[in-house]
Amino acid sequence: MADIAEIAADSRVVASGVSDPRAGLSAAGEFEGYIAAADLDAFLRENLLVESASPNIRLHVVADRPSEPVGLGLVIGDLVDWSRPRESGRALELLKGIEWCC
């Protein structure tokens, strides 16, 4: 199996959620990101990834891979989706840091 750093460096994925630097979380043992549906099968096969009840890699499969960096809204939504106190707290901090206009 490929290690997390190799997976994160793959050009077919873009980091989000716990793996996005703006989240400010230490997630060395986990990766979260987006991948285009057309790239998924080859990516899973090449990295020897299989479904798991407790995964350390969370891929959001979308029609087209977002450009880097993903929008802050995606990062915040992905953090909330973990349903864990650390990630939810960080999502709230990021929301509070947004300068709202008009």
Side-chain angles (χ1 to χ4, degrees):
M1 177 166 90
D3 69 11
I4 300 292
E6 289 175 4
I7 288 171
D10 192 300
S11 63
R12 294 172 290 189
V13 297
V14 60
S16 185
V18 298
S19 298
D20 188 289
R22 294 169 290 178
L25 299 174
S26 174
E30 298 174 312
F31 177 79
E32 179 173 16
Y34 285 82
I35 187 167
D39 293 330
L40 182 62
D41 288 340
F43 182 83
L44 294 176
R45 185 176 54 256
E46 291 167 20
N47 289 292
L48 304 175
L49 299 177
V50 295
E51 287 190 41
S52 169
S54 56
N56 63 340
I57 303 207
R58 181 180 279 196
L59 296 174
H60 302 281
V61 182
V62 292
D64 297 307
R65 176 191 166 279
S67 58
E68 291 186 54
V70 299
L72 186 58
L74 285 177
V75 174
I76 293 169
D78 292 341
L79 289 171
V80 170
D81 190 46
W82 282 91
S83 297
R84 298 189 303 202
R86 177 182 81 140
E87 288 77 7
S88 295
R90 186 59 186 136
L92 185 58
E93 289 172 2
L94 289 170
L95 279 170
K96 288 179 180 178
I98 294 174
E99 291 187 26
W100 300 95
C101 158
C102 313

